[in-house]
């Protein structure tokens, strides 16, 4: 008798008749593609970087940005990852100037690299990109839970289920 009561209750419920059934849409909504507004003016950033014996940028010693914070961030990220080498694969330890110029007509960025002076005490230092990768790996390992203390140390005792 209980099995027959459910359809009877649904039939006598006034709100069941007034709620429209969901209709599947004919078309799925189009994914939102971000609109990129390219700058309309020329942009210029300049960095002085230390380069190790492998040609990797060790650190940015100084930077001169432009009014566009997005361009500043993009060029800073790029300069930390570049390698400065000769065509034969060798590199000179030294201080370099790296500049980026954006041309709105051509919609392109030109990078120029110039040696300021050879030498420096960072010849054997790790490159900035490698250092960032090592930091990310260490942070991921510590966040994975392997280095967490036991639960008993955190809460003081092991929880036990209690029936109500």
């Amino acid at each position: 008798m209980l099995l027959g009561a459910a359809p009877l209750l649904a039939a006598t419920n006034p709100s069941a008749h007034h709620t429209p059934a969901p209709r599947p849409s004919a078309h799925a909504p189009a994914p939102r593609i971000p609109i990129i507004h390219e700058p309309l003016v020329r942009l210029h950033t300049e960095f002085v970087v230390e380069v190790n014996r492998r040609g990797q940028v060790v650190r940015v010693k100084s930077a001169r940005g432009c009014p566009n914070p997005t361009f500043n961030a993009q060029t800073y990220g790029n300069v930390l990852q570049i390698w400065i080498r000769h065509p034969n694969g060798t590199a000179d330890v030294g201080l370099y100037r790296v500049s980026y110029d954006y041309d709105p007509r051509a919609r392109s960025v030109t990078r120029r690299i110039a040696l300021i002076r050879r030498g420096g005490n960072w010849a054997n230092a790790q490159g900035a990109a490698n250092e960032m990768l090592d930091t990310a790996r260490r942070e991921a390992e510590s966040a994975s839970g392997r280095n967490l203390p036991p639960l008993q140390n955190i809460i003081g005792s092991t929880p036990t289920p209690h029936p109500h």
Side-chain angles (χ1 to χ4, degrees):
M1 186 116 188
L2 274 176
L3 294 175
L8 181 62
L9 286 174
T12 59
N13 184 354
S15 65
H17 295 290
H18 299 292
T19 306
R23 294 182 185 174
S25 64
H27 301 286
R32 297 200 63 185
I33 298 173
I35 298 171
I36 299 172
H37 300 284
E38 295 180 359
L40 302 174
V41 297
R42 291 183 175 272
L43 301 174
H44 175 82
T45 57
E46 198 169 282
F47 303 92
V48 175
V49 297
E50 297 172 354
V51 175
N52 67 13
R53 64 183 166 84
R54 293 182 195 93
Q56 299 170 306
V57 171
V58 172
R59 75 179 186 105
V60 174
K61 186 170 178 152
S62 67
R64 190 178 71 168
C66 67
N68 187 318
T70 302
F71 189 70
N72 291 339
Q74 290 171 335
T75 55
Y76 180 74
N78 183 269
V79 81
L80 287 174
Q81 298 177 56
I82 65 172
W83 293 65
I84 300 175
R85 290 183 168 180
H86 298 290
N88 66 1
T90 62
D92 290 329
V93 175
L95 211 55
Y96 290 81
R97 176 176 291 111
V98 182
S99 64
Y100 295 87
D101 292 296
Y102 172 73
D103 180 10
R105 287 188 188 170
R107 297 162 88 180
S108 65
V109 177
T110 302
R111 180 176 61 199
R112 291 182 182 84
I113 300 170
L115 177 66
I116 297 173
R117 68 177 162 84
R118 284 187 172 82
N121 61 354
W122 51 84
N124 295 321
Q126 185 177 20
N130 290 344
E131 195 170 313
M132 287 186 282
L133 287 171
D134 290 345
T135 301
R137 188 177 331 107
R138 282 192 308 270
E139 288 176 358
E141 287 172 357
S142 67
S144 68
R146 284 190 278 157
N147 298 330
L148 292 177
L151 183 60
Q152 294 170 343
N153 294 358
I154 297 171
I155 61 172
S157 65
T158 304
T160 56
H162 299 286
H164 288 72

